Amino acid sequence: MSDLTALNAARRTADLTELGDDGRVDVIVIGGGITGAGIALDAASRGLSVLLVEKHDLAFGTSRWSSKLVHGGLRYLATGNVGIARRSAVERGILMTRNAPHLVSPMAQLVPLLPSMGRGQRALVRTGFVAGDALRILAGTKSSTLPRSRRIGTQQTLAMVPTVRRDGLDGGLLAYDGQLIDDARLVTAVARTAAQYGAKVLTRVSAVAATGTSVRLRDERTGESLEVAARVVINATGVWAGEVDSAIKLRPSRGTHLVFDAASFGNPTAALTIPIPGEINRFVFAMPEQLGRVYLGLTDEDAPGPIPDVPEPTPAEIAFLLDTVNTALGTALTTADINGSYAGLRPLIDTGEGRTSDLSREHAVIESDSGVFSIVGGKLTEYRHMAEDALDRALAARSVTAGLCRTRNLPLVGAPANPVATLRTTTHLPSSLVARYGAESPNVIASARCERPTDPVADGIDVTRAEFEFAVTHEGALSADDIVDRRTRIGLVEADRDRALAVAEELLARA
């Protein structure tokens, strides 16, 4: 059973060869981000034959540049969008309790009560947190999964975020949301689960041309082309959707994060949450993350012009994030404290007016003149719902009969209820490994053929050599970049990337 989930170069070659012989499937999905992977899983688990193609690598685009949060929708409640707020809370609960309890955990969000926060703003934040509790209850998520919000005292505030400004500190307001160990890991888990149900998942394969009944593909590794027929073609390329259907108009918004050593924030156990001055529903977050890091984000800036493969933060965004977080810190951080940074583009639907931060995060399913269905907009938390909606609409329009959607209760690889979960204990394994692989973590070590599988890939980095090998043998990594930049997130800090790259290249060559 476990081999069904394994994505690797050999399986890729076999799948391409098989397509060349027949070249016909029920559903082709273009785009290997979270939405495309979600659609592939939904379709495959309904019993349809599925091909997912991605020009680069899984989670190459926006899906690896998020805040790593599974939002409960509180922000959307503040703008009166009750529908998307409630859906977000429901989807968060599904991820935390059924789909991926191994990848999503509660994250404490702490708003320090400093003199700069007036009574009105404090009341507004507290009201918002209570509304968030109501959303959680409405979504059926128990407080044992996500604790209820509350006010805490000064000592507990300082214990959770030791570097917070102490002058006039009057405790803090504490709430909880869902946090992913990593967004790219979620994409990989969804894609591998789709493969478990029979989907062909092909990276480094681009869609050169698409219609509603066929796609011309090019193998980016060999340059060879092939034509594949389909009953349904779905474009899930996010901010690049207009390259598949030129009628689609998006207004990308750039969200930037800075990467710090966790020691810069005193090794916090909560996300320092700072209201942005003059905004009622936007915050800057300093979030404790894996690998001993803190991510500080995020911005919401217009990003007009050509879509880059890898967006870059601007100096103005970096200054904004530092200026905002420093209002809540005892000792100011500077650019010298920044170890890395990243930016992602949100695929927002262009309404022609207003700030990008005010644009709807609703998704839309659009049928082009050529018959291709495109899904645009939306947010990571709702990927499962978006996939279900897109697939339901496309199948109905093409009169394709399939089973009902199963993904609401379908455990991903690594979840204890997934059939590939091991019965062996994880207690003897590093907690960092278990956090990334869940119930599958013993398999990561057991399947390793490399020397010293439990050794770290570099001093001070809690990623093992076995994890690098597993990325190649089971998670579809075809290059050293795939390993260090997406299967693990070592590459977010250039100095760490440099230290780990040789090991990635070694294990890639041996696989």
Side-chain angles (χ1 to χ4, degrees):
M1 176 69 81
S2 62
D3 284 345
L4 293 177
T5 75
L7 300 176
N8 50 48
R11 180 167 179 171
R12 178 184 182 276
T13 300
D15 284 348
L16 276 167
T17 302
E18 187 178 330
L19 278 174
D21 294 337
D22 181 27
R24 179 175 297 276
V25 295
D26 293 324
V27 179
I28 295 177
V29 184
I30 306 169
I34 189 59
T35 306
I39 295 168
L41 173 56
D42 193 340
S45 62
R46 297 191 197 202
L48 297 169
S49 58
V50 178
L51 169 63
L52 168 70
V53 293
E54 162 56 48
K55 181 178 181 180
H56 298 288
D57 180 31
L58 295 173
F60 182 83
T62 304
S63 295
R64 64 169 156 149
W65 302 131
S66 77
S67 294
K68 329 302 176 201
L69 292 177
V70 177
H71 278 300
L74 182 57
R75 175 182 172 186
Y76 311 106
L77 200 63
T79 56
N81 197 330
V82 178
I84 195 170
R86 185 176 183 279
R87 275 203 315 273
S88 296
V90 168
E91 293 300 324
R92 177 183 63 185
I94 290 171
L95 269 166
M96 294 189 77
T97 60
R98 286 173 261 173
N99 294 163
H102 61 304
L103 296 178
V104 192
S105 56
M107 183 186 76
Q109 295 177 298
L110 177 60
V111 178
L113 296 175
L114 293 163
S116 56
M117 263 187 94
R119 292 178 64 180
Q121 194 174 25
R122 294 184 184 199
L124 200 62
V125 172
R126 181 72 191 112
T127 301
F129 283 177
V130 170
D133 290 337
L135 265 182
R136 172 186 59 75
I137 294 167
L138 189 65
T141 305
K142 296 178 180 178
S143 59
S144 55
T145 299
L146 270 180
R148 59 177 59 89
S149 66
R150 64 187 189 276
R151 181 168 177 169
I152 60 174
T154 301
Q155 289 308 116
Q156 190 176 355
T157 298
L158 291 170
M160 297 182 90
V161 186
T163 57
V164 76
R165 187 185 296 268
R166 296 178 180 230
D167 293 347
L169 180 66
D170 188 26
L173 298 175
L174 190 64
Y176 289 83
D177 212 340
Q179 182 181 34
L180 283 163
I181 183 69
D182 186 62
D183 44 9
R185 291 221 61 77
L186 177 67
V187 177
T188 302
V190 175
R192 289 183 58 213
T193 311
Q196 182 179 10
Y197 283 87
K200 289 179 169 62
V201 178
L202 301 178
T203 59
R204 305 299 198 283
V205 173
S206 59
V208 179
T211 71
T213 56
S214 69
V215 179
R216 166 65 65 177
L217 302 174
R218 181 174 61 232
D219 182 346
E220 295 294 333
R221 303 190 92 192
T222 65
E224 295 178 6
S225 294
L226 66 155
E227 188 100 11
V228 181
R231 301 165 78 187
V232 170
V233 177
I234 301 179
N235 168 25
T237 55
V239 286
W240 294 276
E243 294 181 11
V244 179
D245 179 2
S246 59
I248 292 174
K249 301 300 179 206
L250 297 178
R251 188 175 166 193
S253 157
R254 189 175 49 253
T256 285
H257 294 79
L258 308 179
V259 183
F260 295 85
D261 190 301
S264 298
F265 288 84
N267 298 301
T269 57
L272 178 60
T273 305
I274 305 127
I276 296 174
E279 305 275 355
I280 63 166
N281 63 330
R282 288 186 61 211
F283 299 85
V284 162
F285 304 95
M287 300 162 286
E289 302 283 345
Q290 63 169 329
L291 303 174
R293 298 170 179 173
V294 163
Y295 298 162
L296 174 66
L298 82 161
T299 61
D300 200 327
E301 298 295 328
D302 249 322
I307 306 298
D309 279 351
V310 179
E312 295 289 341
T314 65
E317 288 175 298
I318 293 170
F320 162 77
L321 290 172
L322 284 174
D323 289 347
T324 304
V325 77
N326 282 336
T327 65
L329 296 179
T331 302
L333 295 171
T334 70
T335 52
D337 296 300
I338 300 171
N339 288 346
S341 62
Y342 65 89
L345 298 179
R346 305 175 185 89
L348 303 181
I349 300 165
D350 190 1
T351 59
E353 58 186 27
R355 302 182 306 170
T356 54
S357 59
D358 296 327
L359 292 182
S360 172
R361 268 48 174 177
E362 290 279 6
H363 70 274
V365 180
I366 303 161
E367 184 179 1
S368 72
D369 292 341
S370 68
V372 173
F373 290 87
S374 295
I375 179 161
V376 293
K379 49 202 283 288
L380 181 146
T381 302
E382 288 196 86
Y383 86 89
R384 191 211 62 81
H385 166 76
M386 290 161 57
E388 179 181 359
D389 185 38
L391 193 58
D392 280 348
R393 294 198 202 187
L395 296 179
R398 295 289 174 267
S399 300
V400 175
T401 302
L404 296 175
C405 177
R406 299 173 54 192
T407 54
R408 183 177 285 262
N409 297 300
L410 196 148
L412 303 180
V413 290
N418 187 286
V420 302
T422 178
L423 296 178
R424 286 168 290 175
T425 179
T426 59
T427 53
H428 64 290
L429 297 172
S431 58
S432 55
L433 177 76
V434 176
R436 289 188 283 266
Y437 294 90
E440 196 182 27
S441 48
N443 296 347
V444 176
I445 303 299
S447 66
R449 296 294 175 262
C450 62
E451 298 170 354
R452 309 182 312 281
T454 57
D455 280 9
V457 296
D459 288 344
I461 297 176
D462 65 15
V463 176
T464 62
R465 289 168 55 86
E467 289 174 74
F468 271 19
E469 182 180 321
F470 197 78
V472 178
T473 59
H474 286 72
E475 297 181 337
L478 299 175
S479 73
D481 290 352
D482 293 351
I483 298 171
V484 298
D485 294 335
R486 288 171 289 276
R487 299 309 178 276
T488 68
R489 302 314 290 276
I490 293 170
L492 285 175
V493 174
E494 196 66 33
D496 290 347
R497 190 181 199 279
D498 291 344
R499 294 191 295 131
L501 199 58
V503 179
E505 290 168 344
E506 171 207 334
L507 295 175
L508 187 72
R510 291 177 50 141

